[in-house]
Amino acid sequence: MNPPPERWRLDAGDRAIARLDVPPHATRERVFEIDVRFVVKAGAGREPQHGLRVLVDGAEQWGRRIATARDGEDSLEWRQRRRVPVGQPLRIQALTEVRSALRLRLLVSAVEE
């Protein structure tokens, strides 16, 4: 009988940095679908921008900075499928930046396939 898939999730709220640590598994390799979502809203300043960088196991995987839409919420999202060998942890770090924008939510998840 196979164990149920692992589900790890961190809701960092309006914090600038989030780190999700998935502990190692002693007997099996795992494959995770990683999802990082950063939601913002434009502030009153000129030229609002928001950015997101994602590091997995300490190595930068993706980064982007864009102009923030003035109407409603705006977001950046990153996904990756990642194989994790037996005995290895999975460390996901999301780093955000804003200029004339408000952080609303930063979510990080890893769901085993």
Side-chain angles (χ1 to χ4, degrees), residues 91-112:
R91 293 186 176 95
I92 307 158
Q93 190 170 20
L95 308 158
T96 68
E97 59 182 290
V98 294
R99 186 175 78 194
S100 299
L102 304 170
R103 287 181 181 89
L104 299 179
R105 177 156 272 167
L106 178 57
L107 301 165
V108 180
S109 68
V111 177
E112 187 178 16

Side-chain angles (χ1 to χ4, degrees), residues 5-8 22-23 30-34 80-84 90 110-113:
E6 294 181 43
R7 296 179 178 275
W8 299 86
V22 177
R30 299 169 293 170
V31 176
F32 286 97
E33 178 72 27
I34 300 169
Q80 182 184 65
R81 187 169 182 248
R82 185 81 167 203
R83 185 171 306 279
V84 180
L90 174 63
V111 177
E112 187 178 16
E113 294 184 339

Side-chain angles (χ1 to χ4, degrees), residues 36-79:
V36 178
R37 182 170 169 79
F38 177 42
V39 182
V40 298
K41 184 174 183 172
R46 292 177 31 184
E47 299 180 25
Q49 294 183 3
H50 62 288
L52 173 64
R53 287 182 29 218
V54 179
L55 287 74
V56 177
D57 296 331
E60 186 167 332
Q61 301 297 305
W62 185 81
R64 180 146 308 137
R65 184 179 352 186
I66 62 172
T68 304
R70 289 266 182 205
D71 300 346
E73 295 179 355
D74 200 353
S75 65
L76 282 168
E77 187 167 359
W78 176 84
R79 287 181 181 230

Side-chain angles (χ1 to χ4, degrees), residues 14-30:
D14 62 357
R15 289 181 292 187
I17 298 173
R19 180 174 168 160
L20 178 65
D21 290 321
V22 177
H25 196 285
T27 61
R28 66 182 171 88
E29 180 178 78
R30 299 169 293 170

